[in-house]
Amino acid sequence: MNSPLTEAAGPWIRRFHPRPDARVRLVCLPHAGGSASFYFPVSRSMPEDVDVLCVQYPGRQDRRGEPLVDSLPALADKVHRALRPWADRPLALFGHSMGASLAYEVARRLERDQEVVPAALVASGRRAPSRHRAETVHLRDDDGLVAEMRALSGTNPQLLGDEEILRMILPAVRADYRAAETYTWEPGPPLRCPVTCLVGDDDPKVTVAEAAAWSEHTEGPFALKVFPGGHFFLAEHQPEIIRLITARLAAPVRP
């Protein structure tokens, strides 16, 4: 018989390693074009007191037939609604690239609408919300979009060489890029939760200064960690990043 939380997972939440007795839940939000399975290694590596919830966006894998969401605020509204049943214990948020912007907007909604202060926000590979860049990758043709994916080295090269798979994934990738690139930060109260920002020192999508500006978006403690590498520095430093997140979540969390 399914538990209420199993039923609440619905299409949005993937729980690869359920830990029902965990004291905190870590919500993982993928990058543009990414899926929940990107965070399977994080889920597997977390200690028993951390329940990992990986968000699955519409338009990919088992949600391929669903309408795409190409607005980051609209996506944040939907993810926030999906997380409501899981807020019975502290929630922490971890997002990479577009997922970091999305994590920030979800954190804003948790604090504003539910008076739920996240245990932590870990923003990876993304400039602070107030640091805007004019980007138009989502307006490129398919070849241009694939070129961007290749340049960032975050997609399996075998997938990029398979025409049939490319045709299936490009609409979701384009919608995600549109959501990320048309997102405009709306000024408001800073977060109350701790924020940790992770960035690669050779990332073409964010400078260290743009990453450091995340400190302006919280009244809580802030930390910045710079890694060698480009946009997907996570792949090269996965064990260290998992240790960092684990240590962050080992600190006392807010109820």
Side-chain angles (χ1 to χ4, degrees):
M1 184 176 188
N2 287 340
S3 71
L5 285 182
T6 300
E7 294 169 357
W12 287 91
I13 304 299
R14 298 291 175 272
R15 223 167 153 216
F16 299 119
H17 306 91
R19 299 179 177 103
D21 298 324
R23 68 185 184 91
V24 59
R25 294 195 165 106
L26 176 65
V27 181
C28 295
L29 299 140
H31 54 280
S35 62
S37 58
F38 179 78
Y39 288 111
F40 184 90
V42 175
S43 175
R44 181 181 53 204
S45 301
M46 281 292 117
E48 286 300 313
D49 63 348
V50 179
D51 192 21
V52 180
L53 311 179
C54 303
V55 174
Q56 183 79 308
Y57 306 143
R60 63 217 70 205
Q61 294 183 340
D62 55 332
R63 301 192 71 187
R64 190 162 61 88
E66 297 182 37
L68 300 168
V69 181
D70 61 2
S71 157
L72 196 133
L75 191 56
D77 287 341
K78 292 176 182 294
V79 172
H80 174 230
R81 281 197 296 270
L83 289 175
R84 284 176 182 167
W86 303 91
D88 60 322
R89 63 196 67 185
L91 291 173
L93 302 166
F94 173 35
H96 180 68
S97 195
M98 180 190 82
S101 298
L102 182 58
Y104 166 75
E105 286 295 335
V106 171
R108 288 180 113 182
R109 285 155 174 75
L110 287 168
E111 292 193 0
R112 181 191 67 206
D113 299 341
Q114 288 181 259
E115 284 295 313
V116 171
V117 178
L121 168 61
V122 181
S124 170
R126 188 66 174 169
R127 59 189 176 270
S130 56
R131 298 304 189 265
H132 179 71
R133 288 191 188 189
E135 296 177 312
T136 57
V137 174
H138 70 282
L139 297 177
R140 297 180 186 177
D141 61 15
D142 287 353
D143 289 343
L145 197 56
V146 172
E148 175 77 1
M149 295 164 70
R150 284 200 174 98
L152 294 180
S153 303
T155 306
N156 187 327
Q158 290 182 328
L159 296 183
L160 295 177
D162 188 314
E163 195 67 30
E164 185 176 354
I165 293 179
L166 271 180
R167 281 199 300 272
M168 288 193 299
I169 68 173
L170 280 181
V173 174
R174 188 179 301 282
D176 287 354
Y177 267 90
R178 185 178 294 112
E181 294 181 340
T182 60
Y183 167 64
T184 302
W185 176 67
E186 293 186 5
L191 298 174
R192 288 174 278 165
C193 67
V195 173
T196 299
C197 184
L198 315 178
V199 64
D201 63 1
D202 195 30
D203 188 341
K205 307 297 282 186
V206 52
T207 66
V208 173
E210 288 172 322
W214 276 94
S215 63
E216 301 169 12
H217 293 277
T218 182
E219 295 175 345
F222 174 76
L224 174 67
K225 175 68 175 176
V226 181
F227 292 86
H231 191 59
F232 282 94
F233 64 90
L234 298 86
E236 303 160 35
H237 303 283
Q238 188 177 100
E240 185 178 352
I241 290 170
I242 288 173
R243 285 194 298 270
L244 185 153
I245 296 171
T246 301
R248 171 64 264 174
L249 298 183
V253 295
R254 302 173 190 235

XYZ file of all heavy atoms in Angstrom, residues 22-25 86-92 107 110-111 115-121 190-195 218-222 248-255:
307
model
N 14.591 10.240 7.722
C 15.582 11.312 7.637
C 15.102 12.564 8.362
O 13.896 12.842 8.430
C 15.865 11.637 6.177
N 16.057 13.344 8.861
C 15.694 14.565 9.594
C 15.587 15.777 8.677
O 15.035 16.811 9.056
C 16.730 14.848 10.682
C 18.083 15.224 10.146
C 19.151 15.386 11.213
N 20.395 15.846 10.607
C 20.717 17.130 10.465
N 19.899 18.065 10.902
N 21.851 17.468 9.887
N 16.127 15.662 7.431
C 16.089 16.779 6.492
C 15.930 16.218 5.087
O 16.388 15.107 4.789
C 17.369 17.641 6.606
C 18.607 16.813 6.314
C 17.307 18.861 5.694
N 15.285 16.987 4.212
C 15.116 16.594 2.819
C 15.915 17.532 1.927
O 15.848 18.748 2.084
C 13.641 16.615 2.428
C 12.833 15.554 3.162
C 11.466 15.335 2.520
N 10.896 14.107 3.029
C 9.899 14.040 3.909
N 9.344 15.148 4.370
N 9.449 12.864 4.337
N 5.947 17.730 1.245
C 7.239 17.274 1.771
C 7.810 18.213 2.819
O 8.908 17.975 3.335
C 8.234 17.126 0.619
C 7.762 16.188 -0.446
C 7.034 16.509 -1.555
C 7.958 14.771 -0.500
N 6.772 15.385 -2.308
C 7.326 14.303 -1.679
C 8.612 13.852 0.324
C 7.330 12.962 -2.047
C 8.618 12.514 -0.041
C 7.981 12.083 -1.211
N 7.086 19.273 3.135
C 7.593 20.280 4.066
C 7.281 19.935 5.521
O 7.306 20.808 6.382
C 7.019 21.651 3.709
N 6.993 18.651 5.789
C 6.750 18.246 7.172
C 8.040 18.179 7.970
O 8.021 17.982 9.184
C 6.047 16.879 7.216
C 6.866 15.777 6.564
O 7.508 16.059 5.528
O 6.870 14.651 7.074
N 9.169 18.310 7.287
C 10.467 18.405 7.944
C 11.329 19.362 7.140
O 10.956 19.752 6.034
C 11.122 17.026 8.089
C 11.453 16.316 6.800
C 11.732 14.847 7.037
N 10.524 14.160 7.472
C 10.473 12.888 7.840
N 11.567 12.158 7.842
N 9.332 12.333 8.213
N 12.480 19.794 7.665
C 13.263 20.820 6.971
C 13.619 20.425 5.539
O 13.942 19.279 5.246
C 14.521 20.933 7.839
C 14.066 20.520 9.200
C 13.047 19.441 8.970
N 13.563 21.426 4.657
C 13.907 21.259 3.253
C 15.162 22.067 2.935
O 15.268 23.244 3.310
C 12.777 21.758 2.349
C 11.456 20.975 2.323
C 10.426 21.732 1.491
C 11.666 19.584 1.759
N 16.106 21.452 2.260
C 17.258 22.153 1.701
C 17.163 22.064 0.182
O 16.573 21.118 -0.354
C 18.562 21.536 2.202
N 12.763 28.827 -3.028
C 13.037 29.245 -1.650
C 12.250 30.503 -1.297
O 11.702 30.618 -0.188
C 14.531 29.489 -1.466
N 8.706 29.410 -0.625
C 8.584 28.709 0.653
C 8.557 29.698 1.814
O 7.738 29.581 2.731
C 9.746 27.727 0.825
C 9.713 26.463 -0.026
C 11.064 25.739 0.040
C 8.592 25.520 0.438
N 9.447 30.678 1.769
C 9.514 31.643 2.857
C 8.318 32.587 2.849
O 7.753 32.905 3.903
C 10.818 32.448 2.762
C 12.058 31.606 3.035
C 13.314 32.428 3.257
O 13.241 33.679 3.195
O 14.361 31.817 3.515
N 5.927 30.385 5.143
C 6.760 30.678 6.319
C 7.684 29.499 6.619
O 7.953 29.187 7.772
C 5.883 31.007 7.540
C 5.275 32.389 7.495
C 6.324 33.500 7.552
O 7.221 33.428 8.412
O 6.257 34.420 6.721
N 8.154 28.841 5.556
C 9.116 27.746 5.676
C 10.478 28.275 5.247
O 10.673 28.622 4.074
C 8.711 26.542 4.802
C 9.826 25.501 4.775
C 7.410 25.922 5.303
N 11.399 28.379 6.191
C 12.753 28.829 5.876
C 13.598 27.598 5.550
O 13.773 26.721 6.395
C 13.378 29.595 7.056
C 14.814 30.009 6.721
C 12.540 30.819 7.400
N 14.092 27.491 4.312
C 14.897 26.311 3.963
C 16.099 26.131 4.885
O 16.663 27.111 5.395
C 15.331 26.598 2.525
C 14.275 27.522 1.984
C 13.895 28.380 3.145
N 16.477 24.884 5.094
C 17.656 24.600 5.907
C 18.909 25.128 5.230
O 19.871 25.518 5.902
C 17.773 23.094 6.132
N 18.918 25.151 3.900
C 20.066 25.659 3.136
C 19.669 25.801 1.678
O 18.765 25.105 1.197
C 21.264 24.721 3.261
N 20.339 26.703 0.992
C 20.266 26.809 -0.463
C 21.687 26.689 -0.990
O 22.555 27.482 -0.617
C 19.646 28.143 -0.888
C 19.756 28.518 -2.376
C 19.055 27.494 -3.249
C 19.198 29.907 -2.638
N 15.379 39.782 1.082
C 16.380 38.713 0.944
C 15.902 37.448 1.638
O 15.027 37.484 2.522
C 17.615 39.295 1.639
C 17.079 40.314 2.582
C 15.846 40.879 1.934
N 16.453 36.328 1.228
C 16.160 35.071 1.900
C 16.660 35.127 3.339
O 17.549 35.909 3.683
C 16.825 33.913 1.165
C 16.387 33.649 -0.275
C 17.261 32.552 -0.890
C 14.922 33.268 -0.348
N 16.111 34.255 4.167
C 16.575 34.133 5.547
C 17.462 32.907 5.728
O 18.097 32.741 6.758
C 15.374 34.059 6.490
C 14.637 35.392 6.644
C 13.386 35.238 7.473
N 12.275 34.730 6.684
C 11.161 34.232 7.208
N 11.028 34.142 8.527
N 10.191 33.805 6.427
N 17.500 32.038 4.728
C 18.240 30.776 4.864
C 19.717 30.957 4.535
O 20.102 31.896 3.838
C 17.628 29.718 3.955
S 17.813 30.059 2.190
N 20.568 30.037 5.007
C 21.977 30.054 4.604
C 22.100 29.765 3.106
O 21.348 28.950 2.564
C 22.600 28.924 5.432
C 21.616 28.609 6.501
C 20.269 28.953 5.952
N 23.042 30.432 2.460
C 23.292 30.220 1.031
C 24.766 29.857 0.830
O 25.652 30.538 1.355
C 22.934 31.465 0.194
C 23.360 31.276 -1.262
C 21.438 31.755 0.272
N 20.671 37.028 0.714
C 20.283 36.361 1.949
C 20.713 37.171 3.160
O 21.739 37.872 3.128
C 20.883 34.948 2.045
O 20.431 34.316 3.248
C 22.414 34.982 2.055
N 19.917 37.079 4.222
C 20.302 37.626 5.517
C 21.043 36.581 6.344
O 21.587 36.893 7.401
C 19.056 38.075 6.285
C 18.316 39.223 5.646
C 17.030 39.561 6.382
O 16.589 38.719 7.208
O 16.476 40.645 6.155
N 21.032 35.339 5.870
C 21.678 34.254 6.588
C 23.150 34.157 6.246
O 23.691 34.961 5.483
N 23.817 33.138 6.770
C 25.238 32.933 6.471
C 25.446 32.661 4.976
O 24.599 32.065 4.316
C 25.599 31.696 7.305
C 24.538 31.599 8.342
C 23.296 32.155 7.737
N 26.593 33.112 4.467
C 26.912 32.901 3.062
C 28.315 32.324 2.945
O 29.235 32.708 3.676
C 26.846 34.210 2.273
C 27.306 34.076 0.842
C 26.487 33.471 -0.101
C 28.571 34.507 0.455
C 26.907 33.311 -1.417
C 29.000 34.370 -0.858
C 28.164 33.771 -1.793
N 27.199 20.758 5.184
C 26.245 21.866 5.318
C 24.962 21.386 5.997
O 24.404 22.058 6.872
C 25.952 22.437 3.937
C 24.843 23.455 3.811
C 25.126 24.727 4.559
N 24.505 24.708 5.880
C 24.656 25.612 6.809
N 25.430 26.657 6.619
N 24.043 25.516 7.977
N 24.506 20.201 5.625
C 23.260 19.672 6.181
C 23.451 19.059 7.564
O 22.475 18.793 8.266
C 22.660 18.636 5.237
C 22.263 19.172 3.855
C 21.618 18.076 3.023
C 21.328 20.360 3.967
N 24.698 18.830 7.954
C 24.956 18.312 9.294
C 24.793 19.388 10.362
O 24.640 19.082 11.543
C 26.373 17.720 9.384
N 24.814 20.658 9.923
C 24.594 21.751 10.857
C 23.142 21.707 11.341
O 22.267 21.151 10.673
C 24.899 23.078 10.174
N 22.867 22.290 12.492
C 21.476 22.310 12.972
C 20.571 22.945 11.930
O 20.917 23.948 11.308
C 21.556 23.188 14.232
C 22.970 23.059 14.688
C 23.793 22.929 13.433
N 19.422 22.313 11.702
C 18.486 22.829 10.706
C 17.268 23.386 11.394
O 16.912 23.011 12.498
C 18.068 21.722 9.699
C 19.265 21.277 8.892
C 17.447 20.534 10.428
N 16.628 24.334 10.711
C 15.448 24.981 11.282
C 14.247 24.062 11.158
O 14.089 23.406 10.146
C 15.170 26.291 10.556
C 16.338 27.270 10.592
C 16.034 28.467 9.709
N 17.229 29.287 9.546
C 17.262 30.576 9.840
N 16.200 31.179 10.301
N 18.379 31.261 9.661
N 13.351 24.062 12.125
C 12.147 23.249 12.020
C 11.193 23.818 10.988
O 11.299 24.970 10.625
C 11.552 23.312 13.432
C 12.079 24.597 14.017
C 13.451 24.802 13.399
